[in-house]
Amino acid sequence: MGKRDAAFEYAGQWLDKEHPDGPWYRYWLEGRRVRRRSTGERNLDRARDALIAEAMTQPKTAGEPTDIAMAAVFRHYLDTSFIPRRENPDVPSRTEKEIRRHLRRVGAFMTARSPNKDAYSVAEFDLLQQRAFARQLHGECLKPKSISTLMSCVGAALKYAAKDKVVDTASGERVVRLLKYAPTVMTNETEIAKLVGGEVSRPRQFVPTIGEFADVLDAIEHEHLFRFFMIALTTWARPTAVLEFDVEEQVDFRYGVVDLLKTGKLQTKKRRPIIPLCPTLRDWLTHWDARHPVIWNGGPIREINDAFRSIVRPLGLGEFTPYTIRHFCSSEAIARGANDADRSRMLGHLPKAAAATSAWYEHGTVANYLKSAVDATESLIDDLQGLCGRPLRAPKVLPKQHLRAI
């Protein structure tokens, strides 16, 4: 079977069929002989993925951008960086879903413009194509900030492909590097805004008043949403960290600390620090008596934005998002005298992982660790309670006692 009529070609291999209703075969040359092996797939997209995956496992040196298909780079990035980190092997994270969506968008654009269709090379997505892509996205009503985010995903995939990575293959661990270097990708929001004639986004300035925050708390009807609020309010954690909160794994009741970084997760720029266990949170966790406090219908929650919108929009607080709780806590802490060092540590704003992990030992006693931030949080809850109709402190439950008839 010759390469001329191939449905897809990559790295010296190509796809074709022996019979119209049969599976796709992977073909390659050994000397002057053509070899073949069935992919076991009748779907062309899955057969193409199988070919790329097989080509990636074969020993070879890093290639030039002209020699490497962008599809191989994207697959390498997703398969070796995101899939191994899934908590559930069959369920991609929200971040992974967004990145896949962004990369598919790039693929659709280039497939329509490249003579190589979906086998277009990394080099083909040059700065001229990137500029054309940015203009098209702007024409589809994407703002410069969103275009910058999308292009940053492409840039991250290319940089990842230009580094040595250890990956698991059928024959064991191998060091894989697809690209000799990562080509330039236009990611600067200001540059993109100038190109498409858009505006640079401004940081969100919305922080609710304490009265508005109390109104939102009173509007909550579902238990899982109330628990989300109380954990976020007492940890200042980002929404994802709250949704993933695991009491058994992350809370040390003996020493009174919470490690917001779950076992197996890598520390990123959005740091998850070790923080004190606030008295209010300790009481609620004891009262809830659940390993995973924030669940819905017995299962984990991936995102909570819809639930937020359902309570804040009727109150005229459409800018109130899950992140707003974190910003609210930080702002209130300043007003209540929390020092900058404690506030920064509570938010996870530290340059080195070692500092976040060991900082609380430096205070001699856990009671002194981030004390001004904890005091500010407890003071804030006291003031919110004065404005709320619902209890913000957990019920004090006495130990069970046996009654004796007299």
Side-chain angles (χ1 to χ4, degrees):
M1 187 69 66
K3 296 171 64 173
R4 284 185 304 174
D5 302 322
F8 177 75
E9 180 184 351
Y10 173 64
Q13 302 184 49
W14 65 97
L15 291 174
D16 217 323
K17 284 189 172 186
E18 291 291 312
H19 304 285
D21 298 328
W24 288 96
Y25 279 81
R26 178 171 59 87
Y27 294 86
W28 69 96
L29 285 173
E30 283 188 4
R32 296 184 178 182
R33 298 185 63 181
V34 176
R35 299 290 188 181
R36 71 168 188 173
R37 181 170 297 172
S38 173
T39 65
E41 302 288 354
R42 285 177 167 77
N43 178 277
L44 178 58
D45 289 338
R46 290 196 294 268
R48 181 186 61 193
D49 288 345
L51 185 151
I52 292 173
E54 178 63 27
M56 285 169 54
T57 63
Q58 296 176 359
K60 63 178 181 179
T61 58
E64 296 287 345
T66 52
D67 301 327
I68 302 298
M70 186 70 91
V73 169
F74 290 167
R75 184 184 176 93
H76 175 62
Y77 183 48
L78 293 166
D79 285 0
T80 62
S81 179
F82 287 93
I83 291 180
R85 290 187 289 168
R86 289 180 182 176
E87 292 187 6
N88 183 331
D90 299 321
V91 181
S93 66
R94 183 183 175 190
T95 300
E96 183 184 339
K97 287 180 180 178
E98 289 179 354
I99 290 176
R100 286 183 181 275
R101 194 159 51 242
H102 292 332
L103 300 185
R104 280 197 300 269
R105 208 161 188 169
V106 177
F109 172 80
M110 286 302 297
T111 297
R113 298 173 71 94
S114 170
N116 297 314
K117 301 300 180 183
D118 53 3
Y120 68 95
S121 69
V122 169
E124 288 183 72
F125 192 56
D126 57 18
L127 287 175
L128 290 178
Q129 295 290 1
Q130 292 172 32
R131 289 168 68 88
F133 184 47
R135 293 190 183 99
Q136 177 175 303
L137 293 175
H138 186 65
E140 296 172 2
C141 298
L142 265 69
K143 296 180 179 179
K145 174 64 175 177
S146 298
I147 298 172
S148 172
T149 299
L150 191 155
M151 299 295 276
S152 294
C153 291
V154 178
L158 292 171
K159 289 178 181 178
Y160 187 88
K163 295 179 180 179
D164 290 338
K165 298 293 178 181
V166 177
V167 300
D168 290 323
T169 68
S171 58
E173 290 186 338
R174 289 186 58 250
V175 175
V176 173
R177 179 175 180 174
L178 298 189
L179 290 170
K180 289 183 177 179
Y181 63 90
T184 301
V185 178
M186 182 175 62
T187 60
N188 185 275
E189 183 185 352
T190 302
E191 180 185 349
I192 293 171
K194 184 178 179 180
L195 170 68
V196 302
E199 294 184 358
V200 176
S201 63
R202 297 178 181 178
R204 290 180 179 176
Q205 301 295 329
F206 175 74
V207 177
T209 66
I210 190 170
E212 289 172 335
F213 200 96
D215 289 341
V216 173
L217 287 170
D218 277 337
I220 296 173
E221 297 180 356
H222 296 290
E223 177 67 13
H224 74 284
L225 191 54
F226 174 71
R227 293 185 181 191
F228 179 94
F229 262 84
M230 293 311 300
I231 295 173
L233 193 59
T234 51
T235 63
W236 305 12
R238 294 179 177 87
T240 303
V242 177
L243 293 174
E244 296 174 349
F245 199 73
D246 184 329
V247 177
E248 183 177 307
E249 182 181 311
Q250 296 178 261
V251 180
D252 189 327
F253 287 96
R254 179 184 177 187
Y255 288 101
V257 292
V258 177
D259 188 350
L260 291 175
L261 184 66
K262 292 184 66 176
T263 302
K265 279 193 170 291
L266 299 176
Q267 195 69 274
T268 67
K269 292 181 180 179
K270 295 186 176 182
R271 300 192 49 75
R272 296 192 183 191
I274 293 177
I275 61 172
L277 177 60
C278 289
T280 298
L281 181 58
R282 176 192 288 271
D283 292 344
W284 275 118
L285 294 179
T286 302
H287 176 70
W288 292 329
D289 190 23
R291 177 171 180 172
H292 301 283
V294 186
I295 59 174
W296 178 255
N297 288 335
I301 301 173
R302 296 295 173 186
E303 64 92 20
I304 205 162
N305 292 328
D306 290 342
F308 258 74
R309 284 190 284 268
S310 69
I311 61 170
V312 300
R313 285 182 176 177
L315 297 173
L317 300 173
E319 292 182 279
F320 198 119
T321 70
Y323 260 94
T324 300
I325 303 176
R326 178 176 165 88
H327 301 156
F328 174 74
C329 290
S330 178
S331 297
E332 287 291 331
I334 296 174
R336 294 165 194 276
N339 64 61
D340 289 343
D342 283 359
R343 191 169 61 88
S344 294
R345 288 183 185 274
M346 192 79 171
L347 292 167
H349 295 167
L350 279 176
K352 294 182 180 180
T357 304
S358 62
W360 66 279
Y361 292 105
E362 299 169 4
H363 293 264
T365 63
V366 177
N368 293 329
Y369 179 52
L370 307 191
K371 188 176 187 303
S372 68
V374 173
D375 290 346
T377 299
E378 292 296 320
S379 169
L380 171 58
I381 294 173
D382 284 338
D383 289 350
L384 283 169
Q385 185 63 86
L387 300 171
C388 279
R390 71 187 310 151
L392 301 182
R393 303 285 185 183
K396 298 294 183 181
V397 180
L398 296 176
K400 293 182 179 179
Q401 297 180 355
H402 295 287
L403 298 179
R404 185 177 62 179
I406 299 178

